Amino acid sequence: MDESKDRANIVKHGVGFDEARKVFSDPHVIVPEDRVVEDEERLHAIGYVERVPLVVHTIREEGLGAIIRIISARKATPAERQLYEESD
């Protein structure tokens, strides 16, 4: 994990990457949108930790597994939170 980027994300968005990582353990996590930036697919994940953050990330296949790289994380907007709550 990039400690400098983690601290910058906490200052900017109030969400650290340790908290963001927990979103992927939520059995109800949703990935509602995706986009491509500089030939890299970026995904959004919304899940519940102690609140509902949105995590922008990429997934890279490596060997028999996959590596998730967190790009950014922030508190979900009311619309994103509603999307998560209605998906359950």
Side-chain angles (χ1 to χ4, degrees):
M1 176 173 58
D2 183 335
E3 298 292 331
S4 174
K5 189 167 182 167
D6 179 45
R7 284 190 301 278
N9 202 81
I10 291 170
V11 168
K12 185 174 182 180
H13 299 293
V15 179
F17 289 171
D18 283 334
E19 178 182 357
R21 186 177 304 125
K22 295 175 184 174
V23 165
F24 301 103
S25 297
D26 177 354
H28 305 290
V29 67
I30 62 170
V31 183
E33 15 178 325
D34 62 297
R35 61 191 168 113
V36 176
V37 175
E38 298 175 9
D39 295 327
E40 178 179 67
E41 183 178 27
R42 294 194 176 180
L43 306 167
H44 292 181
I46 303 172
Y48 184 78
V49 182
E50 289 139 14
R51 54 185 167 174
V52 179
L54 176 129
V55 180
V56 179
H57 64 286
T58 64
I59 299 175
R60 184 179 71 230
E61 300 296 324
E62 190 165 290
L64 298 176
I67 294 178
I68 296 173
R69 181 174 68 89
I70 296 173
I71 297 166
S72 180
R74 62 171 170 73
K75 181 180 172 185
T77 65
E80 292 162 344
R81 184 181 179 99
Q82 182 177 0
L83 181 66
Y84 171 78
E85 291 169 352
E86 290 174 352
S87 73
D88 192 20

